[in-house]
mmCIF file of all heavy atoms in Angstrom:
data_model
loop_
_atom_site.group_PDB
_atom_site.id
_atom_site.type_symbol
_atom_site.label_atom_id
_atom_site.label_comp_id
_atom_site.label_asym_id
_atom_site.label_seq_id
_atom_site.Cartn_x
_atom_site.Cartn_y
_atom_site.Cartn_z
ATOM 1 N N VAL A 1 -79.013 66.610 129.831
ATOM 2 C CA VAL A 1 -79.765 67.608 130.421
ATOM 3 C C VAL A 1 -79.212 68.955 130.207
ATOM 4 O O VAL A 1 -79.853 69.908 129.773
ATOM 5 C CB VAL A 1 -79.978 67.346 131.961
ATOM 6 C CG1 VAL A 1 -80.513 68.551 132.631
ATOM 7 C CG2 VAL A 1 -80.887 66.132 132.177
ATOM 8 N N CYS A 2 -77.825 69.096 130.391
ATOM 9 C CA CYS A 2 -77.248 70.450 130.240
ATOM 10 C C CYS A 2 -77.166 70.930 128.830
ATOM 11 O O CYS A 2 -77.260 72.074 128.564
ATOM 12 C CB CYS A 2 -75.856 70.385 130.924
ATOM 13 S SG CYS A 2 -75.899 70.248 132.704
ATOM 14 N N LEU A 3 -76.914 69.945 127.832
ATOM 15 C CA LEU A 3 -76.750 70.399 126.513
ATOM 16 C C LEU A 3 -78.010 70.437 125.691
ATOM 17 O O LEU A 3 -78.043 71.047 124.637
ATOM 18 C CB LEU A 3 -75.731 69.606 125.811
ATOM 19 C CG LEU A 3 -74.301 69.708 126.256
ATOM 20 C CD1 LEU A 3 -73.325 68.841 125.554
ATOM 21 C CD2 LEU A 3 -73.803 71.149 126.117
ATOM 22 N N THR A 4 -79.052 69.814 126.104
ATOM 23 C CA THR A 4 -80.312 69.809 125.308
ATOM 24 C C THR A 4 -81.523 70.312 126.105
ATOM 25 O O THR A 4 -82.156 71.327 125.793
ATOM 26 C CB THR A 4 -80.625 68.375 124.757
ATOM 27 O OG1 THR A 4 -80.840 67.442 125.914
ATOM 28 C CG2 THR A 4 -79.525 67.867 123.859
ATOM 29 N N VAL A 5 -81.865 69.680 127.154
ATOM 30 C CA VAL A 5 -83.080 70.013 127.857
ATOM 31 C C VAL A 5 -82.993 71.364 128.535
ATOM 32 O O VAL A 5 -83.901 72.162 128.467
ATOM 33 C CB VAL A 5 -83.433 68.932 128.961
ATOM 34 C CG1 VAL A 5 -84.623 69.219 129.740
ATOM 35 C CG2 VAL A 5 -83.547 67.570 128.308
ATOM 36 N N LYS A 6 -81.873 71.682 129.276
ATOM 37 C CA LYS A 6 -81.819 72.911 130.036
ATOM 38 C C LYS A 6 -80.595 73.722 129.523
ATOM 39 O O LYS A 6 -79.854 74.327 130.285
ATOM 40 C CB LYS A 6 -81.637 72.569 131.562
ATOM 41 C CG LYS A 6 -82.868 71.901 132.109
ATOM 42 C CD LYS A 6 -82.697 71.697 133.598
ATOM 43 C CE LYS A 6 -83.903 71.099 134.201
ATOM 44 N NZ LYS A 6 -83.695 70.902 135.611
ATOM 45 N N TYR A 7 -80.457 73.793 128.244
ATOM 46 C CA TYR A 7 -79.243 74.496 127.678
ATOM 47 C C TYR A 7 -79.113 75.927 128.200
ATOM 48 O O TYR A 7 -78.076 76.342 128.610
ATOM 49 C CB TYR A 7 -79.373 74.517 126.138
ATOM 50 C CG TYR A 7 -78.170 75.104 125.449
ATOM 51 C CD1 TYR A 7 -77.088 74.364 125.209
ATOM 52 C CD2 TYR A 7 -78.173 76.466 125.038
ATOM 53 C CE1 TYR A 7 -75.956 74.950 124.528
ATOM 54 C CE2 TYR A 7 -77.090 77.066 124.440
ATOM 55 C CZ TYR A 7 -75.965 76.269 124.140
ATOM 56 O OH TYR A 7 -74.897 76.775 123.540
ATOM 57 N N ALA A 8 -80.159 76.666 128.208
ATOM 58 C CA ALA A 8 -80.169 78.063 128.615
ATOM 59 C C ALA A 8 -81.204 78.380 129.657
ATOM 60 O O ALA A 8 -81.797 79.493 129.682
ATOM 61 C CB ALA A 8 -80.345 79.018 127.393
ATOM 62 N N THR A 9 -81.443 77.407 130.527
ATOM 63 C CA THR A 9 -82.441 77.583 131.625
ATOM 64 C C THR A 9 -81.716 78.026 132.781
ATOM 65 O O THR A 9 -80.960 77.268 133.470
ATOM 66 C CB THR A 9 -83.175 76.195 131.879
ATOM 67 O OG1 THR A 9 -83.778 75.748 130.691
ATOM 68 C CG2 THR A 9 -84.241 76.361 133.003
ATOM 69 N N PHE A 10 -81.965 79.221 133.267
ATOM 70 C CA PHE A 10 -81.330 79.844 134.395
ATOM 71 C C PHE A 10 -82.151 79.757 135.694
ATOM 72 O O PHE A 10 -81.741 80.222 136.781
ATOM 73 C CB PHE A 10 -80.889 81.324 134.081
ATOM 74 C CG PHE A 10 -79.947 81.412 133.062
ATOM 75 C CD1 PHE A 10 -80.325 81.611 131.717
ATOM 76 C CD2 PHE A 10 -78.584 81.223 133.228
ATOM 77 C CE1 PHE A 10 -79.420 81.682 130.682
ATOM 78 C CE2 PHE A 10 -77.625 81.301 132.232
ATOM 79 C CZ PHE A 10 -78.068 81.513 130.969
ATOM 80 N N SER A 11 -83.359 79.292 135.526
ATOM 81 C CA SER A 11 -84.232 79.130 136.685
ATOM 82 C C SER A 11 -84.347 77.667 137.121
ATOM 83 O O SER A 11 -83.944 76.779 136.313
ATOM 84 C CB SER A 11 -85.655 79.660 136.366
ATOM 85 O OG SER A 11 -86.139 78.831 135.358
ATOM 86 N N GLY A 12 -84.684 77.409 138.361
ATOM 87 C CA GLY A 12 -84.785 76.043 138.794
ATOM 88 C C GLY A 12 -83.544 75.669 139.555
ATOM 89 O O GLY A 12 -82.712 76.514 140.004
ATOM 90 N N ARG A 13 -83.320 74.406 139.750
ATOM 91 C CA ARG A 13 -82.252 73.881 140.641
ATOM 92 C C ARG A 13 -81.510 72.758 139.890
ATOM 93 O O ARG A 13 -82.093 72.024 139.114
ATOM 94 C CB ARG A 13 -82.811 73.356 141.930
ATOM 95 C CG ARG A 13 -83.427 74.503 142.705
ATOM 96 C CD ARG A 13 -84.247 73.989 143.937
ATOM 97 N NE ARG A 13 -83.415 73.303 144.869
ATOM 98 C CZ ARG A 13 -83.868 72.913 146.122
ATOM 99 N NH1 ARG A 13 -85.120 73.254 146.476
ATOM 100 N NH2 ARG A 13 -83.121 72.245 146.958
ATOM 101 N N ALA A 14 -80.255 72.630 140.241
ATOM 102 C CA ALA A 14 -79.381 71.507 139.655
ATOM 103 C C ALA A 14 -78.687 70.779 140.763
ATOM 104 O O ALA A 14 -78.126 71.426 141.573
ATOM 105 C CB ALA A 14 -78.417 72.060 138.629
ATOM 106 N N ARG A 15 -78.721 69.483 140.762
ATOM 107 C CA ARG A 15 -78.053 68.742 141.777
ATOM 108 C C ARG A 15 -76.605 68.853 141.610
ATOM 109 O O ARG A 15 -76.005 69.138 140.543
ATOM 110 C CB ARG A 15 -78.472 67.261 141.720
ATOM 111 C CG ARG A 15 -79.983 67.131 142.097
ATOM 112 C CD ARG A 15 -80.370 65.708 142.233
ATOM 113 N NE ARG A 15 -79.523 65.054 143.249
ATOM 114 C CZ ARG A 15 -79.629 63.728 143.556
ATOM 115 N NH1 ARG A 15 -80.486 62.973 142.889
ATOM 116 N NH2 ARG A 15 -78.838 63.193 144.470
ATOM 117 N N ARG A 16 -75.791 68.405 142.605
ATOM 118 C CA ARG A 16 -74.357 68.435 142.565
ATOM 119 C C ARG A 16 -73.890 67.518 141.410
ATOM 120 O O ARG A 16 -72.906 67.970 140.749
ATOM 121 C CB ARG A 16 -73.795 67.889 143.881
ATOM 122 C CG ARG A 16 -73.458 68.874 144.918
ATOM 123 C CD ARG A 16 -72.717 68.359 146.034
ATOM 124 N NE ARG A 16 -73.613 67.350 146.757
ATOM 125 C CZ ARG A 16 -73.365 67.027 148.025
ATOM 126 N NH1 ARG A 16 -72.291 67.451 148.652
ATOM 127 N NH2 ARG A 16 -74.135 66.177 148.655
ATOM 128 N N ALA A 17 -74.411 66.383 141.274
ATOM 129 C CA ALA A 17 -74.029 65.426 140.234
ATOM 130 C C ALA A 17 -74.079 66.102 138.848
ATOM 131 O O ALA A 17 -73.164 65.982 138.012
ATOM 132 C CB ALA A 17 -74.783 64.128 140.319
ATOM 133 N N GLU A 18 -75.147 66.786 138.583
ATOM 134 C CA GLU A 18 -75.324 67.421 137.317
ATOM 135 C C GLU A 18 -74.269 68.480 137.116
ATOM 136 O O GLU A 18 -73.698 68.536 135.986
ATOM 137 C CB GLU A 18 -76.755 68.094 137.238
ATOM 138 C CG GLU A 18 -77.080 68.747 135.936
ATOM 139 C CD GLU A 18 -78.428 69.368 135.917
ATOM 140 O OE1 GLU A 18 -79.289 69.094 136.837
ATOM 141 O OE2 GLU A 18 -78.721 70.195 135.048
ATOM 142 N N TYR A 19 -74.050 69.270 138.011
ATOM 143 C CA TYR A 19 -72.955 70.339 137.860
ATOM 144 C C TYR A 19 -71.564 69.704 137.725
ATOM 145 O O TYR A 19 -70.853 70.132 136.793
ATOM 146 C CB TYR A 19 -72.961 71.241 139.145
ATOM 147 C CG TYR A 19 -71.818 72.260 139.112
ATOM 148 C CD1 TYR A 19 -71.892 73.292 138.288
ATOM 149 C CD2 TYR A 19 -70.682 72.035 139.829
ATOM 150 C CE1 TYR A 19 -70.824 74.237 138.222
ATOM 151 C CE2 TYR A 19 -69.631 72.891 139.762
ATOM 152 C CZ TYR A 19 -69.637 74.000 139.033
ATOM 153 O OH TYR A 19 -68.614 74.811 138.971
ATOM 154 N N TRP A 20 -71.222 68.808 138.582
ATOM 155 C CA TRP A 20 -69.798 68.262 138.500
ATOM 156 C C TRP A 20 -69.579 67.396 137.313
ATOM 157 O O TRP A 20 -68.480 67.388 136.777
ATOM 158 C CB TRP A 20 -69.501 67.500 139.853
ATOM 159 C CG TRP A 20 -69.326 68.449 140.908
ATOM 160 C CD1 TRP A 20 -70.099 68.679 142.011
ATOM 161 C CD2 TRP A 20 -68.277 69.446 141.052
ATOM 162 N NE1 TRP A 20 -69.726 69.640 142.890
ATOM 163 C CE2 TRP A 20 -68.490 70.119 142.367
ATOM 164 C CE3 TRP A 20 -67.177 69.785 140.347
ATOM 165 C CZ2 TRP A 20 -67.692 71.189 142.720
ATOM 166 C CZ3 TRP A 20 -66.319 70.733 140.833
ATOM 167 C CH2 TRP A 20 -66.622 71.482 142.020
ATOM 168 N N TRP A 21 -70.571 66.597 136.870
ATOM 169 C CA TRP A 21 -70.439 65.874 135.627
ATOM 170 C C TRP A 21 -70.192 66.785 134.422
ATOM 171 O O TRP A 21 -69.391 66.567 133.603
ATOM 172 C CB TRP A 21 -71.598 64.883 135.356
ATOM 173 C CG TRP A 21 -71.577 63.605 136.211
ATOM 174 C CD1 TRP A 21 -72.592 63.149 137.047
ATOM 175 C CD2 TRP A 21 -70.518 62.648 136.299
ATOM 176 N NE1 TRP A 21 -72.231 61.998 137.560
ATOM 177 C CE2 TRP A 21 -70.905 61.655 137.107
ATOM 178 C CE3 TRP A 21 -69.257 62.535 135.692
ATOM 179 C CZ2 TRP A 21 -70.212 60.537 137.500
ATOM 180 C CZ3 TRP A 21 -68.469 61.414 136.059
ATOM 181 C CH2 TRP A 21 -68.954 60.439 136.932
ATOM 182 N N PHE A 22 -71.042 67.801 134.319
ATOM 183 C CA PHE A 22 -70.837 68.754 133.236
ATOM 184 C C PHE A 22 -69.514 69.489 133.315
ATOM 185 O O PHE A 22 -68.943 69.809 132.247
ATOM 186 C CB PHE A 22 -72.055 69.651 133.121
ATOM 187 C CG PHE A 22 -72.125 70.508 131.941
ATOM 188 C CD1 PHE A 22 -72.462 69.915 130.737
ATOM 189 C CD2 PHE A 22 -71.754 71.834 131.873
ATOM 190 C CE1 PHE A 22 -72.488 70.633 129.622
ATOM 191 C CE2 PHE A 22 -71.736 72.512 130.689
ATOM 192 C CZ PHE A 22 -72.054 71.912 129.526
ATOM 193 N N SER A 23 -69.123 69.851 134.574
ATOM 194 C CA SER A 23 -67.775 70.519 134.684
ATOM 195 C C SER A 23 -66.692 69.563 134.204
ATOM 196 O O SER A 23 -65.730 70.061 133.607
ATOM 197 C CB SER A 23 -67.623 70.908 136.124
ATOM 198 O OG SER A 23 -68.522 71.898 136.476
ATOM 199 N N LEU A 24 -66.791 68.288 134.555
ATOM 200 C CA LEU A 24 -65.805 67.317 134.122
ATOM 201 C C LEU A 24 -65.731 67.221 132.600
ATOM 202 O O LEU A 24 -64.684 67.254 131.937
ATOM 203 C CB LEU A 24 -66.164 65.972 134.663
ATOM 204 C CG LEU A 24 -65.164 64.802 134.232
ATOM 205 C CD1 LEU A 24 -63.781 65.030 134.818
ATOM 206 C CD2 LEU A 24 -65.703 63.453 134.708
#
């Protein structure tokens, strides 16, 4: 999701799991 679907999408919402997995 972070690297393809929403690469530069600054609107909307992201769950904790999405943020922390990408941060990892």
Side-chain angles (χ1 to χ4, degrees):
V1 167
C2 289
L3 290 179
T4 59
V5 178
K6 296 182 178 179
Y7 183 85
T9 303
F10 296 95
S11 61
R13 296 169 64 169
R15 292 186 61 182
R16 268 189 293 201
E18 182 180 344
Y19 172 77
W20 288 110
W21 281 125
F22 191 72
S23 295
L24 177 65

